[in-house]
Amino acid sequence: YLMLNLGDIAYWDRRYEDEQTKNIGFKNFDWYCPFTRIYPTISSMVDMSGTHKVLVIGVGKSNIIECLYKNGFRDITAIDISSKVIQEMQREYTSYTGVEFYVMDVKEMIKFSSETFTIVFDKACVDCLFCGTDFMSATKRAFSEIFRVMKKESTFIS
């Protein structure tokens, strides 16, 4: 962690690998606060009824998946650049039908067609990009991709 580049895959893989080495086990972690604490505020401002196709960028070990699932969401896609954390999340949430995890860079979401998602949640992914050495081009590419995969009249929450 000597050279903190939070926008770099190597940083995140090393962080999650260190946790596995220390045998910490799986524990949800959110940088700012658990998603369960902010969900009531979000649901009061955004129409959460109906069917949504949700994308979570930079999922990490957030409890967002569990919270959304408990609140009736069944079409959730979560991405992260760290293969290590995606493997952990896949194991943790294997019984959650309709939830998919992908190792993917938010700056290159080529697997997804344009206008796919109705809600996109960012739980600190963009903040990490701002900490990178190429933050101007990284955030520009990320937002270009985020807006490309969002349906018209959709919601971005960061």
Side-chain angles (χ1 to χ4, degrees):
Y1 309 116
L2 295 175
M3 194 83 175
L4 283 180
N5 183 353
L6 301 181
D8 187 26
I9 295 169
Y11 169 82
W12 294 105
D13 278 346
R14 175 140 183 230
R15 177 188 172 94
Y16 295 123
E17 190 173 283
D18 285 351
E19 287 179 11
Q20 287 176 339
T21 302
K22 293 174 185 171
N23 203 19
I24 292 173
F26 184 86
K27 291 181 185 172
N28 286 115
F29 177 81
D30 284 286
W31 284 96
Y32 303 119
C33 71
F35 189 74
T36 50
R37 291 189 58 201
I38 60 174
Y39 182 81
T41 303
I42 292 170
S43 65
S44 72
M45 295 185 291
V46 177
D47 180 9
M48 296 296 203
S49 64
T51 303
H52 286 286
K53 186 162 183 59
V54 176
L55 174 64
V56 180
I57 60 171
V59 67
K61 288 186 174 184
S62 175
N63 73 343
I64 189 171
I65 302 301
E66 188 173 332
C67 180
L68 291 172
Y69 202 83
K70 285 182 179 176
N71 282 284
F73 293 86
R74 294 297 184 272
D75 193 351
I76 305 168
T77 302
I79 66 169
D80 200 286
I81 59 171
S82 172
S83 61
K84 305 225 181 279
V85 80
I86 289 298
Q87 289 169 0
E88 282 190 69
M89 293 295 275
Q90 286 171 329
R91 276 193 300 272
E92 184 68 17
Y93 296 104
T94 190
S95 66
Y96 283 47
T97 305
V99 177
E100 297 180 306
F101 294 94
Y102 296 102
V103 177
M104 190 178 301
D105 190 330
V106 69
K107 300 181 303 286
E108 297 177 37
M109 296 189 284
I110 56 177
K111 178 176 178 36
F112 306 136
S113 300
S114 297
E115 298 185 29
T116 299
F117 300 97
T118 57
I119 300 177
V120 176
F121 287 102
D122 166 28
K123 286 277 291 145
C125 179
V126 172
D127 293 12
C128 291
L129 293 175
F130 277 119
C131 293
T133 54
D134 63 340
F135 68 93
M136 289 297 282
S137 73
T139 53
K140 182 178 179 180
R141 290 188 342 254
F143 278 114
S144 176
E145 278 293 274
I146 291 165
F147 293 130
R148 180 186 67 77
V149 301
M150 291 174 63
K151 288 187 176 187
K152 301 219 183 315
E153 311 277 327
S154 59
T155 303
F156 174 71
I157 300 169
S158 180

